[in-house]
Amino acid sequence: MSENAAVTYSVVPLLMLLSSLIPAAVIFTLREDQVRLRTTFNLAGAIAKVGFVIALIPPVVDGQKLRASMPWAPGLEIVLVTDAFALFFVGLSALLWLLTTIYAIGYLEGSPNRSRFFGFFSLCVTATTGIALSSNLLTFLLFYELLTLVTYPLVAHRGTKAAHDGARTYLAYTLGGGVVLLGGVVWLTALVGPVEFTAGGVQEVADLAAERPATAAAVAGVLLAGLAVKAAIFPLHGWLPVAMVAPAPVSALLHAVAVVKAGAFGIVRVVHDVFGVAVLADLGVLSVLAAFAAFTIVYGSLRALMQDDLKKRLAYSTVSQLSYVALGAALLAPMATAGALVHIVHQGLMKITLFFCAGLFAEVLGLSKVSQLAGVGRRMPVTSAAFTVGALGMIGLPPIAGFVSKWPLALGGLDAGHPWVVAVLVTSTLLNAAYFLPILYTLWVADPEEGAEWSTAPHRERPGALEAPLPLLVPAALTACFALAVGVLAGWDYSPWALAQLIAEGSYP
């Protein structure tokens, strides 16, 4: 999905990969007590990646692309490119990696195996960057499989039986999805040759669909089924709530940046830049994808309603909200496509805020269930305010980011001639309110349980004391501010919404 652009060969895409790969390689060799050196490499890599993204935004918006390639096997190349959609995804990844790194440094302070954790953490971001910058289907597949392998140790990090069980479930699902995706990539490559992502779809793939529509539909179905695992589309979502056994920074990364977003990003790439949305509509594939996405949106919200465990409630919320991307991608309307794209960023900002806050409640007060949060807003007002912004955004309350996702999706559904999409979004919004508003009431209005040791605000016992350590508190507050800012500033030329519109227009040549 990229607009017509001038292509320049450059090492910059490779340097963007190395900005997290080199820190990973170094961090694995550090002793546990080399905290300062490990922190320096972590932050230097994360800041460098953000710097690359900021420097690339103006030229990419002006229509320039940077490309790096290297031969791999006969007739196959590893190709990285900084097109608008790639930069859109890698920008989200870079910003949230920096904030999650700061949060993780505070969250894991004093805990064992931090060099192992941060080494795989950086590899996870390397794989996500590679997925974002992939210019062809083969490169995408390589980094997509790498992401599975490097996130498994993060899910299993605590080393408990529950952690190992959750990690095994995660690995079984994602490896299975990866094998299916591999089959689809090999099948399509055998039919049409190497597939380079192209705005509006690849001509050879369109020719295949015209000559052998049943075969083309089957290949598309296999590719999308493989991607649907990481995108957590029903009935392939089962790994996501189980993986919540991971530490809070990993949960935040899985839900906002890496794994689920890789699946959603891949679905958009296959629909718009491999087959082309019009071709898949003619094949009838988009109707099936839209039906699964719509069902998942409602199903995930209903399951979220039933959860008292806060992280599991958020996990099922992700199952529901992430399918907005698949639903928008499956509608033949530029407005719907733009809504799907911007939701990748907006959902990431809102959901990482919620997971940061869930981690704060658990770390500072030892509270992990919704029913335990009565009165916590008085004890942790900044954290609770950040959680409130994220929750209201998820419901779709203007001017927070979620509204700027849901509104164009609804308009896009009408443009595409599918008014039922509005009904799905309204139902989802009501269910979002049903499982988020009780949490906010519990935080701000309900009285703490009698005898709760944490009920006295720390500054009343020790003047100047904060409600939580700054490395944990600041990232949560910042992501909440970003979730609000991208909604308020949606009309700005470089806002996620403006960039999403630019990218969507490029996929309807």
Side-chain angles (χ1 to χ4, degrees):
M1 178 174 287
S2 59
E3 70 285 5
N4 293 327
V7 178
T8 303
Y9 286 89
S10 168
V11 297
V12 169
L14 192 57
L15 293 176
M16 294 177 75
L17 269 187
L18 294 177
S19 63
S20 46
L21 182 59
I22 291 175
V26 174
I27 288 169
F28 276 124
T29 67
L30 298 179
R31 299 188 311 273
E32 282 302 301
D33 60 352
Q34 292 180 291
V35 176
R36 182 170 299 179
L37 192 55
R38 184 171 55 237
T39 301
T40 299
F41 273 97
N42 268 320
L43 293 180
I47 291 171
K49 201 180 290 288
V50 171
F52 279 121
V53 171
I54 292 173
L56 284 172
I57 289 176
V60 169
V61 170
D62 287 341
Q64 296 181 37
K65 289 196 293 189
L66 302 180
R67 180 185 176 94
S69 63
M70 62 197 83
W72 183 49
L76 300 175
E77 276 190 315
I78 305 297
V79 186
L80 304 173
V81 67
T82 61
D83 67 20
F85 191 31
L87 197 65
F88 196 69
F89 188 30
V90 83
L92 172 73
S93 166
L95 174 64
L96 297 190
W97 178 38
L98 174 59
L99 294 175
T100 308
T101 297
I102 295 170
Y103 185 92
I105 289 169
Y107 188 90
L108 296 173
E109 185 177 4
S111 66
N113 302 316
R114 282 171 291 170
S115 289
R116 183 187 70 189
F117 177 91
F118 283 108
F120 281 111
F121 201 70
S122 295
L123 284 181
C124 173
V125 178
T126 303
T128 305
T129 304
I131 289 170
L133 298 180
S134 296
S135 183
N136 59 34
L137 207 47
L138 173 71
T139 308
F140 175 87
L141 176 69
L142 291 176
F143 284 107
Y144 193 83
E145 301 296 4
L146 175 64
L147 181 64
T148 297
L149 298 177
V150 300
T151 44
Y152 168 78
L154 295 175
V155 178
H157 178 73
R158 293 190 191 280
T160 63
K161 182 180 182 303
H164 284 298
D165 289 347
R168 276 195 292 270
T169 301
Y170 166 75
L171 193 62
Y173 270 86
T174 51
L175 276 183
V179 169
V180 174
L181 179 64
L182 171 63
V185 172
V186 171
W187 193 2
L188 186 59
T189 303
L191 290 170
V192 303
V195 176
E196 181 99 2
F197 295 137
T198 306
V202 178
Q203 184 57 50
E204 289 80 1
V205 176
D207 294 341
L208 172 70
E211 295 166 6
R212 301 167 62 183
T215 299
V219 173
V222 171
L223 289 170
L224 292 173
L227 293 165
V229 175
K230 279 197 171 86
I233 294 177
F234 179 90
L236 304 172
H237 65 286
W239 63 271
L240 193 54
V242 176
M244 288 306 91
V245 68
V250 178
S251 300
L253 205 65
L254 293 179
H255 284 255
V257 185
V259 178
V260 295
K261 287 296 166 54
F265 179 84
I267 287 173
V268 177
R269 279 291 197 200
V270 167
V271 170
H272 287 269
D273 293 350
V274 174
F275 284 85
V277 65
V279 169
L280 281 187
D282 290 342
L283 292 174
V285 174
L286 291 189
S287 299
V288 177
L289 178 60
F292 273 100
F295 181 83
T296 306
I297 288 170
V298 177
Y299 169 83
S301 291
L302 289 172
R303 291 300 305 269
L305 267 174
M306 304 173 189
Q307 310 303 319
D308 188 37
D309 184 284
L310 181 56
K311 286 179 70 178
K312 282 194 174 180
R313 185 173 295 199
L314 297 180
Y316 278 109
S317 168
T318 298
V319 171
S320 170
Q321 292 263 343
L322 198 68
S323 280
Y324 285 22
V325 179
L327 178 62
L331 298 174
L332 189 56
M335 183 65 76
T337 305
L341 296 176
V342 80
H343 194 60
I344 291 176
V345 172
H346 288 177
Q347 188 269 352
L349 292 172
M350 296 182 294
K351 188 49 65 77
I352 205 165
T353 301
L354 295 171
F355 271 105
F356 280 164
C357 294
L360 275 158
F361 295 144
E363 275 299 294
V364 177
L365 304 181
L367 308 177
S368 59
K369 296 185 182 300
V370 175
S371 56
Q372 298 173 327
L373 297 177
V376 168
R378 298 166 215 171
R379 169 62 176 79
M380 300 181 69
V382 176
T383 306
S384 299
F387 189 94
T388 300
V389 171
L392 295 178
M394 284 291 180
I395 294 169
L397 193 74
I400 308 171
F403 175 78
V404 186
S405 301
K406 292 188 178 186
W407 184 253
L409 282 171
L411 293 179
L414 295 175
D415 290 346
H418 298 301
W420 58 265
V421 170
V422 178
V424 170
L425 293 173
V426 170
T427 302
S428 171
T429 296
L430 293 174
L431 290 171
N432 297 158
Y435 64 76
F436 273 125
L437 291 182
I439 302 177
L440 303 187
Y441 177 88
T442 305
L443 284 171
W444 293 109
V445 180
D447 292 324
E449 291 183 7
E450 190 172 344
E453 296 179 356
W454 49 263
S455 59
T456 303
H459 68 271
R460 293 184 178 174
E461 297 178 340
R462 291 177 290 122
L466 298 172
E467 65 185 60
L470 274 179
L472 300 179
L473 196 57
V474 170
L478 282 178
T479 51
C481 291
F482 289 147
L484 182 60
V486 296
V488 172
L489 302 176
W492 181 45
D493 287 347
Y494 296 121
S495 72
W497 169 241
L499 297 176
Q501 288 179 291
L502 173 72
I503 300 165
E505 288 168 4
S507 66
Y508 290 83

